[in-house]
Amino acid sequence: MCGIVGVLGNHEVAPLLVEGLKRLEYRGYDSAGIATINNGVLDRRRAVGKLVNLSDLLVHEPLAGKSGIGHTRWATHGAATVLNAHPHRAGSVAVVHNGIIENFRALREELAADGYIQESETDTETVALLLKRAMDGGSAPVEATRATLKRLDGAFALCILFEGEDDLMICARKGSPLAIGRGDGEMFVGSDAIALAPMTDRITYLEEGDWAVITRKGAEIFDAEDRRANRAETVIQVGATRVEKGGYKHFMAKEIAEQPVVLADALRHYTGSGANPALNLPEGLDFSQIDRVVMVACGTASYATHVAKYWFEQIAGIPAEIDVASEFRYREPVLSDRSMALFVSQSGETADTLAALRHVKERVAKVVSVVNVPTSSIARESDLALPILAGAEIGVASTKAFSCQLLVLALMALKAAADRGRISAADLAAHIAGLRNLPGLMNAALSHSEQIADIANELAKATDILFLGRGPMFPMALEGALKLKEISYIHAEGYASGELKHGPIALIDEKVPVIVLAPSDPLFDKTVSNMQEVMARHGKVLLVSDARGVHEAGEGTWAQLTLPEVDPVWAPILYAVPVQLLAYHTAIAKGTDVDQPRNLAKSVTVE
Ligand code: F6R
């Protein structure tokens, strides 16, 4: 989390830094700041809250200079205050940082004993003070940085400026991603290439442990052992216009609405566009010798793996395990050379997921990732990375990435079935045809937005909301509850319908809305029985089903939402739409910050 940007430019740099930070604000928005060097003099501006506050400050107190660094913060050490905001400065040094310096307490004490006292509560200021102490001892900036990096444990991406050095910026990466961009006589640094998109598309990714000495002429890169390192420069495709809302009020609304199109694109990519569908997954994705799939992810991506477990087991007959990444390493998973480890991540930078991947790397037959950002650390460190092709997702709450993750996982389950001889050609074709119906069905689901907004006006009055589902609708209930709580701040829980009577039913009264996700599928009658148990206790039920389901079971419910009928196997992908719209409209009714909900960040790069 936190976003960092650095520029050695030929023009005033403050507007460029702010533009870069705008593109990184998804990584955190607790505070923002920039530092520049103007005629050798280092100065900085910092503001609490969103970037707009820093922009306002810069109107009243502009910052000149053609060299600068910037930061948007997701607070880890210390509250969101100006004092804790980056850049952190110690003497002639200014530092921006993403990650956590795990040994900062010990370092802080050591520095204090030498008279270097920290002003802020952050781990980052410790780095600035280490640099200052080294430079006070006579080291030049490069030497001071080399020595300082050796003292740091934990994960970090750093970018450093030095007063009096208009043409020098030093950056380093360990654990947190960092990209260097090259322009014409200008150089850039960013937490990701997206931040640098308006300035350059010529990008070099630093590798683990790398650090770089950057001047306007170029970057000299060193590896963790301080040896000169050559890292390839690539021209990347990140549209400079990609952070536009395209007429929508929120990125989340745009991204929900984009789902039929991105899903259709991904389907074309992975199944061809002809009348005869075929699986077109990368060579090397072979399940014939695999006896277990182990899926690891966080949050919404994790719920995608929960759904996929049903598909891998039911369609391909292959045992599938699921874990949240933050727990996975600590349960000592039993793995073998016939296990496939599958990591799902929109950003491809989630620290827990990346750490889990590194944990299994040499212990499984293959490490496969399902990612939205093909240049991400998770993609690059996998044996095989399957892009979900959702396009840039800016809203903090994941929507279109989720449905595209589901689609790619569905196709992988079909491939597993085919590789293991568990599916006939006709059934495979029928399943792919079922998936190809989804974009159209999603469009129909999206047309219920207004009705959902009306229902959401009522939901917004609740303090607790339950979601129920059975089979693959159970993870959708979990996802519905996550989406709702993260953007509306209403407490919500997802339960397996049958589990309710084992405790949670005690919560039910006339004030608790219960959202039942129940397509007409083989489990429908059982889910409806559980729904009746809720209604018998005056629970306020919203039934989300198809026309058949609503006709059979809608009577006596508080509200019904009628979706198109869908192949039950793929129903979770369609039901993502109402679940997302319910959360979106409830958040609108509550007046919360939909795209940047409190306390959250889009890319979670700390463990
Ligand atoms: C919820 C949400 C998060 C992410 C989670 C994993 O709407 O977006 O729960 O799904 O932080 O992020 P990625 O997929 O980038 O690894």
Side-chain angles (χ1 to χ4, degrees), residues 10 79 90 106 156 208 409 560 591 604:
N10 292 324
F156 51 81
E208 202 51 13
L409 290 166
Q560 306 107 31
V604 185

Side-chain angles (χ1 to χ4, degrees), residues 298-301 345-347 350 396-398 483 486 604:
C298 300
T300 287
S345 173
Q346 188 284 128
S347 62
T350 300
V396 162
S398 189
K483 210 95 301 175
E486 73 177 324
V604 185

Side-chain angles (χ1 to χ4, degrees), residues 303 306 310 464-483 485 491-508 512-519 523 526-528 530-531 533-534 542 579:
Y303 294 143
H306 284 227
Y310 290 86
D464 304 281
I465 297 179
L466 298 185
F467 284 76
L468 300 184
R470 220 174 234 276
M473 282 296 140
F474 166 41
M476 296 309 293
L478 296 171
E479 168 62 2
L482 172 63
K483 210 95 301 175
K485 65 186 141 194
H491 171 241
E493 299 289 343
Y495 281 104
S497 318
E499 186 64 14
L500 201 70
K501 55 188 172 295
H502 299 289
I505 202 162
L507 295 172
I508 302 296
V512 179
V514 179
I515 300 170
V516 180
L517 305 175
L523 302 173
K526 288 190 188 300
T527 306
V528 167
N530 303 133
M531 184 180 94
E533 291 156 13
V534 171
L542 164 63
V579 149

